[in-house]
Structure formats: structure tokens, C-alpha cells
Amino acid sequence: MRSMWGWPALLAVGLMACAGEPPAPEPVGDLAAEHCMVTSDAPGLDLAQEPCAKLSSYHFMSLQDGVVTHADGVVPYDMSTPLFTDYAHKFRAVWMPEGEAASFSTDATFTFPVGTVLLKTFAYPLNYAAPDEGVHVIETRLLVHYPEGWRGLPYVWNDEQTEAYYDPAGLSVPVTLEYGDGSTVDIDYLVPNGNQCKGCHEATGHMGPIGPKARFLNAEADFGGAVANQIDRWVQAGYLSGVTDTPPALDAFDTAADVEERVRAYLDINCAHCHNPRGPARTSGLMLEWSPTPVTERTVDQQTSYGICKTPVAAGRGSGGLHYDIVPGDPDASILVFRMESNDPGIMMPELGRSVAHEEGVALVREWIAAMAPRTCAE
């Protein structure tokens, strides 16, 4: 499994904008350090307390000289097809209380016990020509399973990269990406607030994880020179039980795989957390969840719900004057491509988590649509 992806032209990231502004977040409200009573150096979180002001209070991870290190008992993992977030590098990990384990599912997101913490750290390499030599970290998000449900806790790292502070209000961080031809692109990296977290993480009608699924984890990964299958790693750590039939991991950018399989994986992780029958975008009628059935073998109604010759529920400028979500054989006439290519906040899809288009993702979807047998969509 690749540790980085989608950066063929990017060589460096200018983080000068992060080096002086915005200022390091201060503890929010009454979240002073004394309100977070930590009695052990072991990783963990007290569900009865309010969030700690400092990320370091949990002892989940450390950052030293641009290197992210997770504590013992905090298991790092990677995704065969990760969610795109403005070309950010992501460090993922999971922690569970002693004796607790997630329940395996062949198709759905694993079912996690109360007390589970999923960590995701967002960073940019200091030098894209040597991305493993160190990163500048912007934020670490904790997705915590409380007795009453899941809750997102965003922590923003200070300029000195010595601490991250709880900042549930969200903010925008300016970042400059530099391409190999010398051109640059300024982006506004978004640290989401609580409501924006729900915008993506309410895939099933309530807050929860969207990425940890067998079809994105069942592959080998290398962490610190230890190469192992990730499902096996979770089982060995005591973090996963009931493993039965494990589908192979789906890699949207494995050019040896069938282009439609790759597209279905890409749309599933990047779009289906909203575009599913219980998700926030269910009223659109566009359902992009992964299915083992190829699109060409689905019923007419199933193809339509996947966007084939489907008219938008609400037109407006989000359609770009186009008539169908996907026009077989014609990516330029397809609303799906138009919205993926746009950076206009009122048009672009996904609408959160990016300020630039994912060029490699757009190219993949274009290739798939262009390869379809052309057909005329009836008005």
C-alpha cells in the first residue's frame, strides 16, 4: 500500500503562512489545563471529562522534528483509497480501552466499542521531493465514541510544532502549494467546526466513522519497517473480533485494476458518506455507495441512482447548464465531472474538505465515463 498518493507534480509546500498566522489557539472557554485531570502517562481519555485543552494530555502521539510517532497501544493504519483533503498527508491511528474490540463487517464500517478513539493527523511534507524527511502538522482530529454517541475533537498545532490545542470553533489556515513547473496555488486549508464534522460523519444518519472498512484496510502497510496486513494487525492488537470473509482492499489508483472498480472505490470513500440512502445528500437521489455489482450489470433504476442519465433534483448553477449527472461516453457533458473540477464553494463537490480540485480523481472519473458505450439520455 502506498503511504502517499496523488502528488506527481507537487514538489514543495510553502508554510510561511502557517508560521505567523493564525496565532496558536488558546484553550477554549473553561478548558484550562487544570480541568483535565491526567493521572497516567499511558494513552487514554476520560469520557466523563470535558476535552483536554492540550492534545499531549492524552499521550496518544508525539511530534518531534517533523516526525509523527504514536504511543504503544495506539495502532497506526492506512487506507488503500483515502479521502482527498487538499493533498494533505494523513497519519491515522486507533486506540481502544483495554479488553475492548471492534466488531468486523465484510461490507460496512466496523462497529466500535464505547471509548474508542480514532486519530487523524493532517500535515504537509516540508519537501515534496523527500516527503519522508518530515512534515509540518496543521491539525489532529480525534473522533471519540462517547456513551451518547460519537464526537469530533479538533486540535490545532501551534507554529512551533510543540503542542496542539482544542479548537472546536474551526478555522482556515492559508497554505501555498508549489508545483514542479514553478507555479503555485494558494489554498485555504479548513479545520472544521463541530457542525462541519457532522456534515461528513453522519453517513448513516448519526455521527460516526466513515473510513475503517475491510475493503480499505485489508492490505499490507509499512509502519516503521514492520510490514503487515492491517486486518491482522488490528486482530493481534486485540482491536478487532469476528473476522470472517475479508474482501481485498480497493485501490482507486492501482492502474492494473479495472477502471470501473477503481472509480467505485473512489466515489465510495469521497462521496458516499453523503450520497447514500441515509446520508445528508439522500434527497439528491444520487447514491454512490460501493457495490459488488458492476454498474453495467445493475437495473435501469440502479444505474440512474448512480448518476447514469440522471437529471438533478435541483438544477441551478450547480449543474453548470448540463442536464445529466453522468452522460455515458461524454465526461464534458456530465455534471459529476463539472462539480468535481470546480473550486467555487457554491458548485464544487465534495463541498467540504477541499479548496482545490483533486486532479488525479477527476482524471480517473473522466477516464471511466469516456470509456462507457455512448448513449443518448432521453429528456
Side-chain angles (χ1 to χ4, degrees), residues 9 57 59 63 109 124 147 165 193 282 286 299 309 345 357 364:
S57 298
H59 304 292
L63 176 63
T109 305
Y124 289 94
Y165 295 90
N193 60 38
R282 60 188 178 277
L286 181 62
T299 66
C309 289
L364 173 63

Side-chain angles (χ1 to χ4, degrees), residues 116-179:
T116 297
V117 180
L118 297 173
L119 300 89
K120 187 158 60 172
T121 296
F122 296 75
Y124 289 94
L126 296 173
N127 182 355
Y128 274 88
D132 295 328
E133 292 183 359
V135 294
H136 183 104
V137 177
I138 295 181
E139 64 160 324
T140 295
R141 299 178 195 170
L142 307 184
L143 189 60
V144 183
H145 195 183
Y146 286 86
E148 61 273 18
W150 290 87
R151 179 178 175 186
L153 308 180
Y155 285 82
V156 180
W157 285 84
N158 61 11
D159 300 338
E160 297 77 20
Q161 300 282 272
T162 55
E163 184 61 84
Y165 295 90
Y166 180 53
D167 191 350
L171 75 160
S172 179
V173 179
V175 175
T176 298
L177 301 178
E178 181 179 341
Y179 289 79

Side-chain angles (χ1 to χ4, degrees), residues 208-250:
I210 57 177
K213 302 174 183 177
R215 59 179 171 268
F216 296 125
L217 292 176
N218 188 27
E220 288 190 341
D222 184 351
F223 295 97
V227 179
N229 178 277
Q230 297 196 108
I231 298 291
D232 293 343
R233 186 192 297 265
W234 282 45
V235 172
Q236 292 166 4
Y239 283 177
L240 188 61
S241 64
V243 177
T244 52
D245 183 29
T246 53
L250 303 174

Side-chain angles (χ1 to χ4, degrees), residues 1 9 87 103 149 181 187 252 289 310 375 377:
M1 181 185 299
Y87 291 103
S103 297
D181 60 3
I187 66 173
E289 289 180 298
K310 177 190 171 302
R375 82 188 222 205
C377 295

Side-chain angles (χ1 to χ4, degrees), residues 23-372:
E26 295 296 329
V28 177
D30 63 354
L31 296 177
E34 61 268 20
H35 286 81
C36 182
M37 309 306 292
V38 179
T39 59
S40 170
D41 290 337
L45 181 147
D46 187 344
L47 300 179
Q49 296 189 50
E50 284 299 307
C52 295
K54 299 179 180 180
L55 180 65
S56 61
S57 298
Y58 303 120
H59 304 292
F60 288 133
M61 57 172 285
S62 62
L63 176 63
Q64 184 70 36
D65 297 326
V67 177
V68 174
T69 303
H70 293 103
D72 291 342
V74 180
V75 177
Y77 66 94
D78 204 354
M79 303 276 290
S80 59
T81 300
L83 176 71
F84 173 75
T85 309
D86 278 346
Y87 291 103
H89 194 165
K90 301 176 185 178
F91 300 86
R92 299 174 180 83
V94 58
W95 177 87
M96 297 181 204
E98 186 175 358
E100 298 287 353
S103 297
F104 178 82
S105 171
T106 300
D107 295 322
T109 305
F110 299 156
T111 301
F112 291 91
V114 170
T116 297
V117 180
L118 297 173
L119 300 89
K120 187 158 60 172
T121 296
F122 296 75
Y124 289 94
L126 296 173
N127 182 355
Y128 274 88
D132 295 328
E133 292 183 359
V135 294
H136 183 104
V137 177
I138 295 181
E139 64 160 324
T140 295
R141 299 178 195 170
L142 307 184
L143 189 60
V144 183
H145 195 183
Y146 286 86
E148 61 273 18
W150 290 87
R151 179 178 175 186
L153 308 180
Y155 285 82
V156 180
W157 285 84
N158 61 11
D159 300 338
E160 297 77 20
Q161 300 282 272
T162 55
E163 184 61 84
Y165 295 90
Y166 180 53
D167 191 350
L171 75 160
S172 179
V173 179
V175 175
T176 298
L177 301 178
E178 181 179 341
Y179 289 79
D181 60 3
S183 63
T184 61
V185 175
D186 293 326
I187 66 173
D188 292 318
Y189 176 90
L190 177 68
V191 178
N193 60 38
N195 288 332
Q196 288 168 322
C197 285
K198 293 178 182 179
C200 287
H201 283 275
E202 288 192 341
T204 59
H206 53 81
M207 187 80 165
I210 57 177
K213 302 174 183 177
R215 59 179 171 268
F216 296 125
L217 292 176
N218 188 27
E220 288 190 341
D222 184 351
F223 295 97
V227 179
N229 178 277
Q230 297 196 108
I231 298 291
D232 293 343
R233 186 192 297 265
W234 282 45
V235 172
Q236 292 166 4
Y239 283 177
L240 188 61
S241 64
V243 177
T244 52
D245 183 29
T246 53
L250 303 174
D251 184 346
F253 296 93
D254 177 6
T255 56
D258 177 76
V259 66
E260 185 183 305
E261 292 181 0
R262 295 161 54 203
V263 165
R264 292 190 345 242
Y266 183 85
L267 295 178
D268 182 72
I269 194 63
N270 283 279
C271 311
H273 48 272
C274 287
H275 286 276
N276 72 79
R278 292 184 292 171
R282 60 188 178 277
T283 56
S284 71
L286 181 62
M287 305 299 155
L288 298 175
E289 289 180 298
W290 181 85
S291 166
T293 305
V295 175
T296 53
E297 296 179 12
R298 300 180 191 182
T299 66
V300 172
D301 287 344
Q302 289 172 334
Q303 289 187 25
T304 300
S305 67
Y306 204 73
I308 307 296
C309 289
K310 177 190 171 302
T311 56
V313 171
R317 68 191 191 96
S319 68
L322 305 174
H323 300 289
Y324 302 99
D325 291 349
I326 296 173
V327 178
D330 194 347
D332 288 326
S334 301
I335 296 172
L336 179 65
V337 172
F338 169 71
R339 302 195 75 169
M340 287 180 65
E341 289 181 330
S342 177
N343 292 332
D344 184 323
I347 297 174
M348 68 183 192
M349 285 289 169
E351 59 187 355
L352 291 175
R354 75 171 182 91
S355 55
V356 295
H358 185 200
E359 295 182 4
E360 297 73 27
V362 171
L364 173 63
V365 173
R366 277 186 163 276
E367 178 186 357
W368 171 59
I369 295 175
M372 293 180 182

